[in-house]
């Protein structure tokens, strides 16, 4: 596990975008994918809005994903395992990089065929608690032709990241503009933020 954490942190230090191709185990990735599919079947995935409680726009056209929040109180064994891994990563990040992270929030996200998320940053204008974004992908056998790439923009360059199962992507929430390109089939992830209260 520490090797996966180091891979994510070292690539972040080198390029401002951390990537670890096997951050999640095959079993955990598959279990979280099944959770999303069950939530979708039960109509528990809800279209996401833009903004927070202070400034929210549920009628926006920026994003087309549906979400459902993870919570330890759900008593879901797979969510518990994922959130414990996040806590271990935060502990390692704080010890090695002195980031002072002391909170987090994560949600499932599904982009159905034909959905995207336009270019944006993850930091709210009215709330700067989000320090780092962490996205974990759950898509088996994903190909370039399937679309849904994460595009990250920095220094007049664009980096394209394929949302393949087990992969994690890590970057500063307030600094990196990014977008999700049009998905040509259902695209799933667990997306969240490491925060300072």
């Amino acid at each position: 596990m520490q090797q996966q954490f180091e891979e994510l942190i070292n690539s972040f230090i080198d390029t401002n975008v951390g990537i670890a191709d096997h951050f999640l185990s095959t079993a955990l990735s598959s279990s979280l994918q099944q959770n999303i599919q069950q939530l979708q079947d039960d109509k528990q995935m809800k279209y996401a809005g833009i903004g927070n409680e202070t400034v929210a726009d549920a009628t926006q056209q920026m994003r087309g994903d549906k979400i459902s929040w993870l919570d330890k109180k759900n008593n879901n064994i797979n969510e518990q395992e994922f959130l414990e891994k996040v806590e271990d990563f935060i502990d390692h990040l704080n010890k090695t990089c002195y980031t002072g992270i002391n909170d987090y929030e994560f949600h499932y996200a599904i982009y159905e065929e034909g959905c995207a998320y336009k270019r944006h940053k993850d930091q709210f204008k009215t709330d700067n608690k989000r320090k780092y974004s962490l996205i974990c992908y759950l898509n088996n056998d994903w190909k370039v032709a399937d679309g849904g790439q994460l595009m990250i923009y920095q220094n007049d360059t664009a980096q394209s990241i394929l949302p393949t199962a087990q992969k994690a992507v890590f970057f500063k929430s307030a600094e990196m503009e990014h977008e999700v390109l049009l998905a040509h089939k259902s695209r799933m992830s667990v997306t969240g933020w490491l925060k300072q209260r």
Side-chain angles (χ1 to χ4, degrees):
M1 190 156 49
Q2 188 165 330
Q3 181 180 346
Q4 299 154 357
F5 296 166
E6 286 296 317
E7 183 181 0
L8 201 57
I9 291 168
N10 289 338
S11 53
F12 168 78
I13 291 169
D14 290 344
T15 68
N16 299 317
V17 180
I19 299 176
D21 287 325
H22 299 283
F23 186 81
L24 299 180
S25 68
T26 302
L28 181 56
S29 178
S30 177
S31 296
L32 293 170
Q33 183 187 98
Q34 290 170 24
N35 282 3
I36 291 183
Q37 289 171 335
Q38 187 63 54
L39 288 164
Q40 178 81 329
D41 291 345
D42 293 342
K43 303 190 183 328
Q44 296 299 307
M45 301 291 290
K46 305 297 182 186
Y47 280 109
I50 294 290
N52 56 11
E53 297 86 0
T54 307
V55 182
D57 179 8
T59 64
Q60 51 71 36
Q61 300 299 312
M62 277 279 295
R63 61 189 292 186
D65 57 322
K66 291 180 179 178
I67 68 169
S68 179
W69 291 95
L70 276 72
D71 191 330
K72 282 193 169 181
K73 294 176 185 174
N74 294 343
N75 290 322
N76 179 287
I77 189 170
N78 304 311
E79 290 183 21
Q80 298 275 10
E81 182 181 348
F82 175 81
L83 293 174
E84 286 168 8
K85 188 177 185 81
V86 167
E87 290 168 2
D88 288 343
F89 176 64
I90 289 171
D91 185 55
H92 187 79
L93 185 67
N94 285 338
K95 285 178 180 175
T96 57
C97 300
Y98 311 104
T99 53
I101 298 300
N102 54 19
D103 199 7
Y104 61 81
E105 58 183 359
F106 281 85
H107 62 65
Y108 295 112
I110 185 167
Y111 291 79
E112 296 170 327
E113 183 179 352
C115 292
Y117 194 159
K118 294 178 183 176
R119 188 166 169 169
H120 66 285
K121 291 181 182 176
D122 281 348
Q123 187 78 276
F124 296 127
K125 291 180 180 178
T126 58
D127 182 351
N128 66 354
K129 292 185 180 74
R130 290 179 176 177
K131 302 305 176 184
Y132 298 94
S133 300
L134 179 62
I135 308 161
C136 298
Y137 293 111
L138 310 173
N139 308 294
N140 299 327
D141 304 317
W142 198 270
K143 301 175 179 59
V144 172
D146 296 327
Q149 291 89 340
L150 175 67
M151 301 296 297
I152 298 183
Y153 302 94
Q154 61 173 323
N155 303 323
D156 299 320
T157 63
Q159 180 179 0
S160 176
I161 300 171
L162 208 60
T164 51
Q166 302 177 252
K167 182 184 292 179
V169 180
F170 176 68
F171 54 87
K172 284 192 173 180
S173 302
E175 295 182 8
M176 289 297 163
E177 283 198 321
H178 56 286
E179 68 178 319
V180 176
L181 299 185
L182 198 70
H184 302 308
K185 66 179 187 179
S186 184
R187 173 197 190 272
M188 291 173 277
S189 66
V190 179
T191 297
W193 300 275
L194 311 186
K195 304 167 70 176
Q196 289 177 348
R197 292 193 202 95

